[in-house]
Amino acid sequence: MRAKIVPRNQEDRVLARLENEHPHFLKCMLPSNVSHGFWLHLPINFCSVHLPNHDTSIVLVDEWGNEYKTSYLLGRHGLSAGWRGFSIAHRLLKRVKEMY
């Protein structure tokens, strides 16, 4: 499974284009997402509708085509292994909305 990551300054434009094209959500980054713990909880409804009902790998692809393999854990509705590398590489900041 692949997920497209969008830069913050392009959020509105991309959100309008994705409305019917791809499933997506907005997430406000918490300290546990980007500065310690490095765990990304995903919206439960999004997981139920769009993600597999088992643990699996998800590849995040940024706007430059760089790929980051993460682990999706069904029981936690979130991304683990690999998320830390992605968040550091993209200098994600707490309290900033990101679109996935």
Side-chain angles (χ1 to χ4, degrees):
M1 170 162 282
R2 291 169 140 352
K4 176 112 175 151
I5 306 306
V6 177
R8 289 180 288 279
N9 60 351
Q10 297 178 23
E11 184 177 289
D12 292 335
R13 180 179 57 83
V14 173
L15 184 59
R17 191 183 84 231
L18 291 178
E19 290 278 330
N20 297 316
E21 188 177 340
H22 300 288
H24 56 275
F25 62 90
L26 293 175
K27 172 84 173 159
C28 183
M29 295 290 109
L30 302 173
S32 63
N33 303 136
V34 298
S35 63
H36 63 274
F38 294 97
W39 181 263
L40 181 66
H41 290 278
L42 306 174
I44 293 174
N45 289 341
F46 181 86
C47 294
S48 299
V49 174
H50 302 292
L51 297 178
N53 61 356
H54 56 82
D55 294 353
T56 190
S57 293
I58 292 180
V59 177
L60 303 177
V61 181
D62 66 18
E63 65 270 23
W64 301 286
N66 298 318
E67 297 184 355
Y68 299 82
K69 184 177 178 182
T70 65
S71 294
Y72 168 66
L73 302 177
L74 174 66
R76 306 269 321 255
H77 302 294
L79 299 180
S80 183
W83 170 251
R84 180 180 189 272
F86 176 86
S87 64
I88 290 172
H90 291 83
R91 298 184 176 123
L92 300 183
L93 304 171
K94 57 188 168 187
R95 304 287 179 225
V96 174
K97 283 186 198 173
E98 299 289 345
M99 181 170 48
Y100 301 95

